[in-house]
Amino acid sequence: MLIQKKILHNVSLTAHPQGCARYVHDEIAWTRRAATGAISGYVPYDMEHAPERVLVLGGSTGYGMASRIVAAFAGNAATINVSVERQPAEKKTATPGWYASRVFEQEAQRQGLFARSIHADAFSSETKRMTIDLIKEHLQTVDLVIYSLASPFRTDPETGTVYRSVLKPIGAPFSALSVDTGTGIIENASFEPADELQIAETIKVMGGEDWLLWIKALKEGGCLAPKAKTVAYSYIGPHLTYPIYREGTIGKAKEDLERTASVIADTIGVPAYISVNKALVTRASAVIPVVPLYISILYQVMEERGLHESCIEQMYRLFSTNLTSDAPTQLDAEGRIRMDDREMLPEVQREVEARWNRQIVGQPAIDGDLRTFNRDYDRIHGFGYDDIDYTKDISPTEI
Ligand code: NAI
């Protein structure tokens, strides 16, 4: 079939197998070079202290996939990924994470590394049991658990109740500039505040409860190595996006996730860390209102200063500077690892704000790098590569 880009409400409905393969191969190639110290600004990978058996929850796309690639292709780690992805059919493409996981596993196998994926709901107790069985059968234990899930809903494993997360402000309506990523036109976006139930449900989905359940289950299942640690990903961002992000429903969930790090450490005895990552285009972030305009301006400002990083560069820096030692060395006052350090530099934020204030509703975005935003979004789904022939008939099941 002809596999072409189809986007509805900022969500891509298709994925190209060859393009997804290309995306993963590029990230792997970059990682291999970085690990040898060949990329300026990135330290060689410390193999001696690198995690050897890594479980990535949400390891099929975005930050989770990049974490898995660094663990395996910089550190030779055995990896297990748990993620929800749609399989391909004769006339329907898979989701990009399905192709990406496949390609990752083919490449890992070529290098003699153990790599498996469980494509199932990470929030369920059954998936936790399956994962524990897989670890016991092949790895005995893991020494690092990455928690990188981004989901719009969660079924409570005890009660079966389905909770939905919303991206809304709290307390008062919020209106801000946004960009239509299709037309590039600036618009005004307004949001009604969330009610108490929506706040609670968002915390249920994106807060720390499931992270805690995972670490508890792995510990009770005897699957954690004596020096095992766990890391979950969070975001703070600038004042510009506070009402819809950090001070909104998702921010409340992230605060809960961050508090859960000390609950895990204190009650289960497993060192647990938060890594606050940079804003980047992923399947999850592209649907957050206001964020695409912020990201496209941020990209341009950071690119001009030679500070821009993508998922793989962020995760390489996280692993090579903070996860290949007994404990992370660069924690902020709240005990969090700050991979958003370059994004949050005062000079970067001042410039982003100045460019933000130049935008005019109804006009094309000024100064922002929407092309890179759209290119990155396309590439996550395997589109936009010059050397792939998108007019060629291919099978969505072949990878
Ligand atoms: P993503 O959409 O690329 O990845 C989400 C992952 O979660 C995928 O592997 C998906 O299959 C998996 N997933 C979703 N629901 C699942 C379920 N029920 N069971 C199993 N797997 C499931 O998103 P991204 O952006 O990489 O997000 C990962 C984490 O990083 C999130 O916690 C996000 O808040 C955080 N983060 C993202 C930033 C960004 O700008 N993209 C910035 C800072 C933190």
Side-chain angles (χ1 to χ4, degrees):
M1 73 186 255
L2 265 190
I3 300 179
Q4 289 186 331
K5 187 168 101 174
K6 267 191 218 141
I7 295 198
L8 187 67
H9 306 307
N10 281 8
V11 176
S12 176
L13 305 178
T14 52
H16 196 280
Q18 291 168 5
C20 290
R22 173 67 190 280
Y23 185 89
V24 175
H25 282 135
D26 284 353
E27 287 202 337
I28 292 175
W30 186 91
T31 301
R32 283 182 171 141
R33 280 197 298 130
T36 64
I39 296 180
S40 125
Y42 296 88
V43 296
Y45 207 70
D46 180 357
M47 295 291 294
E48 211 178 306
H49 300 100
E52 293 171 9
R53 297 172 309 283
V54 180
L55 171 63
V56 187
L57 305 165
S60 57
T61 53
Y63 275 122
M65 167 58 88
S67 307
R68 193 180 184 202
I69 288 177
V70 172
F73 294 102
N76 282 339
T79 58
I80 295 175
N81 154 51
V82 179
S83 57
V84 157
E85 298 296 343
R86 186 186 67 225
Q87 288 192 22
E90 268 320 303
K91 292 277 166 223
K92 194 166 184 180
T93 73
T95 45
W98 189 89
Y99 293 127
S101 305
R102 259 300 171 85
V103 172
F104 176 97
E105 278 145 31
Q106 288 164 355
E107 200 54 35
Q109 210 173 12
R110 240 172 253 139
Q111 199 171 305
L113 299 174
F114 178 87
R116 289 280 177 84
S117 280
I118 295 177
H119 290 305
D121 178 15
F123 298 130
S124 85
S125 305
E126 177 54 22
T127 303
K128 292 180 175 70
R129 271 194 296 274
M130 276 161 55
T131 309
I132 287 168
D133 289 347
L134 189 67
I135 293 172
K136 283 190 149 166
E137 188 183 343
H138 296 280
L139 307 177
Q140 287 78 53
T141 57
V142 290
D143 52 8
L144 177 64
V145 181
I146 296 288
Y147 192 84
S148 186
L149 297 178
S151 175
F153 65 92
R154 170 173 171 228
T155 306
D156 186 291
E158 294 289 317
T159 61
T161 308
V162 178
Y163 296 98
R164 292 186 188 281
S165 65
V166 295
L167 294 158
K168 285 190 168 191
I170 293 176
F174 169 60
S175 78
L177 295 179
S178 196
V179 67
D180 179 325
T181 52
T183 61
I185 301 292
I186 298 294
E187 30 185 56
N188 228 326
S190 301
F191 310 94
E192 286 304 308
D195 58 32
E196 288 304 320
L197 187 65
Q198 290 174 318
I199 300 170
E201 289 211 14
T202 306
I203 294 173
K204 251 322 215 187
V205 180
M206 288 296 286
E209 190 176 87
D210 180 62
W211 185 23
L212 179 64
L213 288 175
W214 265 104
I215 302 304
K216 232 186 214 163
L218 291 164
K219 178 83 176 179
E220 283 167 11
C223 289
L224 294 178
K227 280 194 164 180
K229 55 190 162 202
T230 181
V231 184
Y233 298 147
S234 189
Y235 184 64
I236 297 175
H239 287 277
L240 273 174
T241 60
Y242 266 19
I244 195 72
Y245 199 97
R246 193 65 195 189
E247 290 172 351
T249 47
I250 182 71
K252 290 286 162 230
K254 289 299 186 191
E255 278 172 19
D256 183 74
L257 182 81
E258 292 174 20
R259 274 194 301 272
T260 304
S262 36
V263 177
I264 292 175
D266 296 345
T267 62
I268 312 181
V270 173
Y273 304 100
I274 293 294
S275 174
V276 180
N277 299 340
K278 169 183 188 273
L280 276 175
V281 184
T282 62
R283 277 163 65 81
S285 67
V287 294
I288 304 177
V290 185
V291 165
L293 177 60
Y294 169 70
I295 291 184
S296 68
I297 297 176
L298 178 73
Y299 270 24
Q300 194 184 51
V301 172
M302 292 187 78
E303 273 159 7
E304 285 167 7
R305 287 162 179 69
L307 296 173
H308 179 65
E309 288 179 311
S310 60
C311 281
I312 197 68
E313 290 151 338
Q314 276 269 293
M315 292 301 93
Y316 184 84
R317 199 151 64 85
L318 170 67
F319 274 66
S320 61
T321 56
N322 283 291
L323 301 183
T324 42
S325 46
D326 280 344
T329 48
Q330 303 161 320
L331 301 177
D332 69 7
E334 280 77 37
R336 301 170 297 202
I337 304 167
R338 298 300 295 265
M339 300 315 298
D340 64 342
D341 49 351
R342 298 175 184 173
E343 169 182 357
M344 299 315 292
L345 284 171
E347 82 236 36
V348 169
Q349 285 304 321
R350 260 197 311 274
E351 190 53 34
V352 169
E353 212 166 313
R355 292 182 194 193
W356 182 278
N357 290 333
R358 287 207 284 274
Q359 308 300 323
I360 301 164
V361 174
Q363 301 282 318
I366 308 164
D367 285 343
D369 189 356
L370 202 55
R371 269 182 44 183
T372 305
F373 180 96
N374 282 328
R375 186 206 64 193
D376 285 3
Y377 187 75
D378 286 350
R379 288 190 171 175
I380 291 168
H381 300 89
F383 297 107
Y385 288 103
D386 292 340
D387 50 353
I388 293 180
D389 182 359
Y390 294 99
T391 61
K392 210 169 138 189
D393 248 339
I394 58 163
S395 163
T397 58
E398 263 169 47
I399 183 96

